[in-house]
Structure formats: C-alpha cells, structure tokens
C-alpha cells in the first residue's frame, strides 16, 4: 500500500513537472497590452491584458469598465466611450464588431443601464446578434464604474 502511494506520488510529480515545461496557450497566442502608459502599468500591476488572440482565431477581451466622468450624468456618453475603446481593441486584434460572438455585461443598476447600453450597442452590432448575458452586481473596480463589458470574438480567418 505504501509503495503504491509512493509510486503514485512520484508519477504525479513527474507529470506536473513535464506539464510545467510545456508551453501554455498564451505562449503561442498574441497578447495585446494597453497602448496607454498608465493603463499598461495598471495591467502589469494586476496581471492582465487588453486582449488575447489565440491561434485558432478566438479573441478574448478583458472587461472594459464604463464610468461617468467627474460631474457627468449622461450614461449614453459613458457607454459610447466604452464601445469606442472596445472597437479600438478589436481592431488591434484584427477583428471587428462583426466578429463578436459573445457579450457579458455586469451592471451596478441594470434597470437604468440596460436600455442605454443596448442603444449604444446597436450602433456597433447588427443582426444576427451575438449571445449576450447581463448580470446585476453590487460594485465594480474602480468605484466610479457603472458597467463592465466583456467581449469574445471569433476571427473569420485566423491570423
């Protein structure tokens, strides 16, 4: 019994060591960091990127936080800025809004935010529409964030 357990532990640790030596999916993917110096420093501090483009053509965008500028009350302007940023990241990844297959949004007040977000989203996305999940949450980081939007796209022609 002890010999069997020891053999299992040796095999498991050998498998773990070889798995660590093998490259991960991100090693062969294109990782896009922010082009803005301050945002890039924030990403490096917390360990994330704007987007990852895999060899098979999937584009995974980190969540983009929608926030009101100091003194601003116009939700439409805040969503328009976020969608412009998402569009820029998609373009850097070699994608467009036509390639978006999934949207996930996290809202601090779904009742007041959903219609405004949908209105701005329709300026960028036409039918057939991607999947979309909207979730009510308590808060976002940073505290002035009202919605966070996460996008997954699929390139028609992987790069």
């Amino acid at each position: 019994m002890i010999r069997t357990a020891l053999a299992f532990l040796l095999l498991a640790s050998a498998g773990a060591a070889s798995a660590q030596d093998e490259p991960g999916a991100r090693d062969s993917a294109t990782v896009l960091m922010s082009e803005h110096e301050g945002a890039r420093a924030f990403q490096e501090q917390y360990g994330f990127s704007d987007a990852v483009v895999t060899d098979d053509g999937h584009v995974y965008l980190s969540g983009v936080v929608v926030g009101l500028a100091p003194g601003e009350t116009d939700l439409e302007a805040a969503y328009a800025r976020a969608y412009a940023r998402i569009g820029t990241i998609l373009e850097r990844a070699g994608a467009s809004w036509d390639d978006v297959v999934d949207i996930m949004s996290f809202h601090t007040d779904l009742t007041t935010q959903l219609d405004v977000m949908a209105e701005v989203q329709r300026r960028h996305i036409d039918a057939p529409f991607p999947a979309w999940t909207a979730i009510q949450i308590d808060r976002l980081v940073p505290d002035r964030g009202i919605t966070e939007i996460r996008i997954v796209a699929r390139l028609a022609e992987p790069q």
Side-chain angles (χ1 to χ4, degrees):
M1 177 70 120
I2 293 175
R3 238 186 293 187
T4 306
L6 182 57
F8 176 77
L9 286 173
L10 288 172
L11 285 173
S13 64
S18 65
Q20 290 173 357
D21 295 337
E22 293 177 19
R26 285 187 317 274
D27 291 329
S28 61
T30 301
V31 176
L32 302 175
M33 299 296 286
S34 177
E35 293 178 320
H36 181 270
E37 187 177 323
R40 186 181 187 116
F42 183 80
Q43 289 175 337
E44 289 173 353
Q45 178 182 355
Y46 289 100
F48 70 99
S49 63
D50 273 351
V52 174
V53 184
T54 61
D55 289 342
D56 65 354
H58 286 91
V59 182
Y60 299 92
L61 273 67
S62 290
V64 171
V65 176
V66 178
L68 294 169
E72 184 177 47
T73 58
D74 183 9
L75 294 178
E76 189 276 336
Y79 283 99
R81 279 192 305 274
Y83 273 80
R85 181 159 191 272
I86 291 167
T88 299
I89 296 168
L90 285 168
E91 187 177 307
R92 287 178 51 221
S96 74
W97 285 104
D98 291 337
D99 298 313
V100 173
V101 295
D102 186 40
I103 300 169
M104 185 171 286
S105 56
F106 303 89
H107 301 263
T108 57
D109 186 355
L110 231 138
T111 5
T112 63
Q113 297 165 359
L114 195 63
D115 287 341
V116 178
M117 180 177 165
E119 179 184 321
V120 172
Q121 187 166 286
R122 276 189 220 101
R123 295 178 202 159
H124 301 277
I125 297 175
D126 297 319
F129 300 110
W132 179 15
T133 303
I135 301 169
Q136 174 76 33
I137 59 167
D138 290 334
R139 67 179 295 274
L140 289 166
V141 175
D143 288 332
R144 72 181 191 290
I146 60 171
T147 301
E148 185 162 349
I149 304 167
R150 184 176 179 278
I151 300 281
V152 177
R154 176 86 165 99
L155 299 174
E157 298 287 326
Q159 300 172 350

